[in-house]
RNA sequence: GCCCCUGUAGCUCAAUGGAUAGAGCACCUGCCUUCUAAGCAGUUGGUUGUGGGUUCGAAUCCCGCCAGGGGCGCCA
């Protein structure tokens, strides 16, 4: 936020280095640690090391300190910088607190919901996430995926990228057909009431059907015959679907719609608005044409004449000596397409129809190899955007008793966890927030319950697995979503009580407490954090920041009186600071797909 | 066999190659007649799996090893 001062000082340092014939290394700036004051810091170790490598007989640390001292002298006085110190090879610049406090607070309040928004990047990013199989109920693994993808989409959009959100549900495949088969055979005509109940019922049918179709130990010959007959019926149904059989297609469309109804409602709850829906069934045909093209171009090898499949020897085509991407099949010997085939077709649509410059795939880390293969084939195929395809892999969510499995019916459903979250919040709320109107109570409980759940997914780096523990996920104390939401509520509470006094621009020309300085520093960091989170494709950066900001506010709140401040100017300034904090917390939470309630 | 990820406080996790490795939970001690105690302040807790290397400086980069997880041509 203070690039002007930073650049001025940088140019002064460079000037001095040129004059004294010192080979300056890149200057990296960071906040000053342990100071309790507010400013920025850089060091001269890299520069001293350059000299040492050039043959000067020096010790790096003392030389760095020497340069820092000389730089300090060369800079002299700078407007807005209260003092400069050279210590241990670092150059620390302390800001004039009142001026910077005013600037930070004014900027946050003037920009409001746009505070922290980055300049337009003139680059289009598509984020693909939310790829559940239909009709399957949405479990907590899907929730991690969707929250991660949505937070990323919000972050890159706010950072200045033209952003497209894309969902890619699996609406066809043997799993989907299995449900149709079991429905037709055992449950025809049934339909539970309620979107979620109906979806969960389909999941149950799926688990039942899978159990019937799996070989058992000590199977009698009758059981085996029956199982094989069932499997035959199922595969027959898949063939009919493939051939466009009207009855099977209508059955499929009905079940698919049931699954979509449930998914759409979950996305409504999660406040996710998809821009594009890609369906697996829609890229099936186009993907087969692509296979022909790849064969014609010599990228794919057709082994069907000898009874094989169509494959791509990726390493060989790329000219790699060591095996990296290996070889993979893009068309089965029976002519049907595969996951990889469909992803190639989908990428083509993303590049050509949607003109995306970067394509991010938020997909389980276990599919890393497949996506790397897809990107490599896209490169062979001649798409320059393949370089900017990025797999944001995330560790899978498992249960203390092991991996989740829809086929076995061993899943923790998002809706169940959410309902439990709301119950728990309501229980706490009846004691903590007795003044909340009944009409608002339910909504606030949802916002807090969902906030706790989302934050528990976002506060762990994406490459780490999560063993889901409902008590941890729904904790409301400490490093959690509700902790951050509570800071927002407390800020709001102060502002509400002060509403007789309009919040006017204020000078911070009194001696600021350490808590105020820390809080102002945190606010000033927000725009930079937005860019960092976007550059690194890491919502965790924003999640950690939101906690730090809330933490600074809670400490301030406890130690520094606002409404009871000793002087009217101080009260006015602190009210401005509280308002700026509230705005910044709200903006940060919004990027994490977490609501910022006014009361709780 | 090859490839990828992970290993940091009792537990769950942070930490653009930089100053003193930080939080939360749990444990213990204080703080509600004062802007919401879903909070604050403090105590306790570390050979960053291990052995080398690079560097002025390594939890971070490189190599070996150990442990756990995942993946590897007709599943998605």
């Amino acid at each position: 936020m203070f690039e002007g001062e930073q650049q001025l000082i940088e140019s002064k340092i460079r000037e001095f280095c040129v004059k004294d014939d010192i080979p300056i290394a890149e200057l990296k700036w960071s906040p000053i640690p342990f100071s309790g004051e507010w400013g920025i810091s850089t060091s001269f170790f890299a520069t001293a090391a350059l000299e040492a490598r050039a043959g000067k007989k020096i010790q790096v640390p003392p030389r760095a300190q020497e340069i820092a001292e000389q730089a300090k002298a060369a800079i002299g006085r700078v407007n807005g910088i209260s003092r400069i110190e050279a210590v241990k090879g670092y150059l620390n610049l302390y800001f004039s607190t009142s001026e910077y406090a005013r600037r930070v607070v004014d900027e946050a309040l003037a920009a409001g919901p746009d505070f922290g928004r980055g300049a337009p990047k003139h680059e289009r990013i598509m984020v693909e996430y939310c790829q559940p199989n239909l009709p399957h109920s949405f479990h907590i693994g899907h929730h991690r995926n969707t929250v991660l993808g949505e937070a990323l989409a919000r972050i890159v959009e706010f950072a200045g990228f033209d952003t497209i959100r894309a969902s890619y549900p699996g609406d066809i495949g043997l799993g989907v057909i299995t449900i149709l088969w079991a429905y037709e055979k055992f449950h025809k005509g049934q339909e539970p009431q309620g979107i979620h109940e109906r979806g969960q019922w389909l999941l149950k049918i799926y688990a039942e059907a899978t159990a019937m179709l799996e070989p058992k130990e000590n199977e009698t010959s009758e059981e085996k015959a029956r199982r094989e007959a069932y499997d035959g019926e199922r595969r027959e149904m898949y063939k009919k679907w493939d051939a466009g059989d009207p009855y099977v297609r209508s059955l499929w469309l009905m079940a698919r719609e049931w699954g979509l109804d449930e998914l759409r409602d979950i996305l409504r709850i999660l406040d996710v608005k998809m821009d594009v829906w890609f369906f697996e069934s829609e890229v099936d045909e186009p993907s087969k044409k692509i296979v022909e093209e790849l064969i014609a171009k010599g990228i794919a090898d057709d082994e069907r004449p000898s009874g094989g499949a169509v494959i791509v020897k990726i390493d060989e085509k790329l000219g790699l000596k060591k095996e990296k991407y290996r070889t993979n099949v893009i068309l089965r010997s029976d002519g049907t397409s595969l996951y990889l085939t469909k992803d190639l077709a989908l990428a083509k649509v993303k590049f050509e129809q949607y003109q995306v410059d970067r394509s991010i795939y938020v997909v389980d880390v276990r599919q890393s190899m497949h996506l790397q293969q897809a990107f490599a084939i896209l490169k062979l195929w001649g798409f320059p955007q393949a370089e900017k395809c990025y797999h944001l892999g995330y560790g899978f969510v498992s249960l203390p008793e092991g991996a989740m499995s829809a086929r076995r019916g061993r899943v923790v459903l998002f809706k169940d966890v959410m309902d439990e979250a709301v119950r728990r919040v309501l229980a706490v709320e009846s004691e903590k927030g007795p003044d909340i109107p009944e009409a608002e109570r339910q909504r606030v409980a949802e916002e807090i319950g969902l906030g706790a759940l989302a934050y528990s997914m976002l506060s762990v780096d994406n490459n780490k697995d999560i063993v889901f523990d409902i008590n941890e996920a729904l904790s409301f104390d400490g490093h959690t979503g509700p902790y951050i939401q509570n800071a927002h509520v407390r800020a709001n509470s102060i502002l509400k009580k002060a509403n007789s006094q309009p919040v006017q621009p204020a000078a911070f020309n009194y001696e600021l407490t350490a808590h105020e300085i820390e809080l102002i520093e945190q606010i000033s960091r927000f725009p930079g954090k937005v860019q960092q989170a976007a550059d690194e494709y890491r919502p965790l950066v924003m999640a950690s920041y939101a906690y730090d900001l809330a933490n600074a506010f809670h400490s301030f709140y406890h130690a520094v009186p606002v409404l009871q401040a000793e002087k009217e100017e101080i009260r006015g300034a602190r009210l401005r600071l509280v308002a700026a904090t509230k705005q910044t917390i709200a903006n940060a939470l919004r990027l994490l797909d977490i609501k910022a309630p006014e009361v709780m």
Side-chain angles (χ1 to χ4, degrees), chain A residues 314-316 318-326:
Chain A
I314 305 171
D315 290 332
E316 188 186 304
L318 282 169
L320 300 178
K321 296 269 189 291
K322 283 178 66 177
E323 67 172 13
K324 183 170 181 189
Y325 300 107
R326 301 178 183 240

Side-chain angles (χ1 to χ4, degrees), chain A residues 50-241:
Chain A
L50 277 182
E51 289 187 330
R53 245 166 265 148
K56 279 200 183 182
K57 292 220 161 123
I58 50 160
Q59 298 277 317
V60 169
R63 175 59 182 154
Q65 173 63 11
E66 194 176 57
I67 300 172
E69 280 166 14
Q70 289 167 1
K72 176 189 166 180
I75 291 166
R77 286 201 53 80
V78 175
N79 262 347
I81 301 294
S82 63
R83 69 191 174 91
I84 300 175
E85 66 177 14
V87 49
K88 293 181 181 175
Y90 288 83
L91 189 69
N92 296 332
L93 311 168
Y94 292 93
F95 295 146
S96 306
T97 46
S98 56
E99 187 185 334
Y100 283 99
R102 184 171 51 76
R103 203 197 291 187
V104 170
V105 168
D106 284 355
E107 183 170 332
L109 289 176
D114 284 326
F115 174 58
R117 184 184 288 280
K121 304 282 189 290
H122 308 295
E123 214 177 322
R124 180 174 289 177
I125 297 185
M126 179 176 277
V127 185
E128 181 202 304
Y129 55 108
C130 193
Q131 310 97 331
N133 283 321
L134 295 177
H136 280 194
S137 281
F138 202 85
H139 61 59
I140 50 173
H142 297 124
H143 177 251
R144 182 180 194 185
N145 171 291
T146 303
V147 165
L148 191 59
E150 177 64 16
L152 182 68
R154 289 180 183 214
I155 288 165
V156 296
E157 187 169 53
F158 199 61
F161 290 96
D162 182 11
T163 304
I164 302 176
R165 293 163 171 79
S167 174
Y168 181 38
D171 61 339
I172 189 59
L174 196 56
V176 174
I177 294 294
T178 302
I179 293 176
L180 299 185
W181 167 79
Y183 171 83
E184 177 73 6
K185 193 164 182 76
F186 304 111
H187 300 279
K188 194 170 181 181
Q190 297 174 9
E191 183 184 348
Q193 288 302 301
I195 289 172
H196 297 276
E197 290 77 2
R198 195 172 59 189
Q200 291 168 20
W201 176 70
L202 288 178
L203 179 68
K204 214 174 93 190
I205 289 177
Y206 182 50
E208 278 171 13
T210 307
M212 278 189 267
L213 291 159
E214 270 184 352
K216 291 183 199 54
E217 285 186 34
N218 306 323
E219 200 174 46
T220 66
S221 57
E222 279 168 41
E223 283 169 340
K224 183 164 188 268
R226 192 183 62 184
R227 174 171 60 76
E228 284 174 352
Y230 283 174
D231 192 45
E233 289 172 23
R234 173 173 69 152
R235 288 181 191 279
E236 183 59 28
M237 196 174 229
Y238 203 171
K239 275 188 197 154
K240 282 187 176 173
W241 182 89

Side-chain angles (χ1 to χ4, degrees), chain A residues 245-545:
Chain A
D245 178 274
Y247 179 71
V248 174
R249 285 283 176 147
S250 69
L251 199 63
W252 171 66
L253 283 174
M254 178 191 75
R256 180 179 183 270
E257 203 54 29
W258 288 357
L260 274 174
D261 278 345
E262 195 186 12
L263 181 57
R264 288 190 202 105
D265 197 55
I266 299 275
L267 294 182
R268 178 191 60 76
I269 289 168
L270 294 177
D271 195 19
V272 172
K273 295 179 184 72
M274 289 293 167
D275 299 304
V276 186
W277 289 85
F278 295 119
F279 290 100
E280 224 179 311
S281 59
E282 289 171 347
V283 282
D284 187 52
E285 278 307 309
S287 73
K288 292 174 186 168
K289 292 197 181 71
I290 287 167
V291 172
E292 296 308 317
E293 185 183 338
L294 292 176
I295 293 171
K297 288 193 162 160
I299 296 165
D301 296 323
D302 191 353
E303 295 183 339
R304 281 176 294 181
S306 55
V310 180
I311 62 168
V312 181
K313 295 174 179 167
I314 305 171
D315 290 332
E316 188 186 304
K317 302 291 175 186
L318 282 169
L320 300 178
K321 296 269 189 291
K322 283 178 66 177
E323 67 172 13
K324 183 170 181 189
Y325 300 107
R326 301 178 183 240
T327 295
N328 210 346
V329 174
I330 59 169
L331 197 71
R332 288 193 188 92
S333 46
D334 67 2
T336 55
S337 72
L338 289 140
Y339 176 58
L340 182 58
T341 331
K342 291 171 194 164
D343 247 328
L344 294 175
L346 189 53
K348 185 179 163 73
V349 174
K350 289 179 180 179
F351 296 152
E352 292 181 346
Q353 190 177 334
Y354 290 91
Q355 297 287 312
V356 305
D357 302 300
R358 303 191 197 182
S359 188
I360 305 176
Y361 295 71
V362 182
V363 183
D364 189 328
V365 74
R366 284 174 291 191
Q367 295 179 31
S368 175
M369 178 93 199
H370 287 274
L371 286 168
Q372 293 311 314
Q373 289 176 330
F375 300 161
I377 294 172
L378 289 171
K379 190 177 173 184
L380 285 168
W381 196 5
F383 283 105
Q385 300 96 322
E387 298 289 345
K388 290 200 173 174
C389 284
Y390 180 80
H391 173 209
L392 180 68
Y394 60 91
F396 57 94
V397 182
S398 62
L399 306 176
E401 58 267 34
M404 283 192 286
S405 165
R407 299 191 318 150
R408 298 208 172 80
R410 190 173 69 189
V411 294
V412 173
L413 295 177
F414 163 75
K415 189 64 170 47
D416 289 341
V417 175
M418 178 195 157
D419 290 345
E420 175 63 17
V422 172
R423 270 195 296 277
R424 291 190 190 191
V425 178
L426 283 173
V428 177
E429 218 167 55
S430 59
E431 113 192 33
K432 305 270 184 191
D435 302 332
I436 301 173
E438 201 53 45
E440 222 178 325
R441 193 172 286 267
Q442 180 71 23
R443 186 174 54 76
V444 170
E446 268 187 35
E447 292 180 354
I448 295 167
L450 287 172
L453 202 53
Y455 197 82
S456 77
M457 296 294 180
L458 293 173
S459 60
V460 178
D461 213 348
N462 40 269
N463 54 7
K464 285 206 166 135
D465 295 343
I466 292 179
V467 178
F468 186 79
D469 178 327
I470 191 161
N471 292 319
E472 277 176 31
L474 299 187
S475 166
F476 307 141
D477 301 320
H479 191 190
T480 65
Y483 174 93
I484 301 164
Q485 292 172 314
N486 188 39
H488 183 264
V489 166
R490 289 174 125 186
N492 180 60
S493 178
I494 292 177
L495 296 170
K496 213 165 47 184
K497 289 215 168 160
N499 65 0
S500 52
Q501 275 83 11
V503 178
Q504 295 293 341
F508 285 79
N509 54 4
Y510 58 95
E511 193 170 343
L512 297 177
T513 63
H515 289 104
E516 285 166 290
I517 290 169
E518 171 65 19
L519 185 53
I520 289 161
E521 175 169 339
Q522 287 296 344
I523 294 171
S524 75
R525 283 183 191 171
F526 179 60
K529 290 289 179 181
V530 172
Q531 294 302 317
Q532 188 195 343
D535 289 345
E536 298 177 7
Y537 298 142
R538 275 204 320 154
L540 170 68
V541 169
M542 189 49 57
S544 297
Y545 167 77

Side-chain angles (χ1 to χ4, degrees), chain A residues 1-15 27 29 40 75 78-79 81 93 95 100 103:
Chain A
M1 192 183 259
F2 304 104
E3 293 82 4
E5 286 75 6
Q6 190 178 308
Q7 274 170 20
L8 174 67
I9 287 160
E10 263 196 56
S11 66
K12 285 195 177 197
I13 292 173
R14 285 179 196 288
E15 211 173 282
L27 286 172
W29 296 92
I40 53 174
I75 291 166
V78 175
N79 262 347
I81 301 294
L93 311 168
F95 295 146
Y100 283 99
R103 203 197 291 187

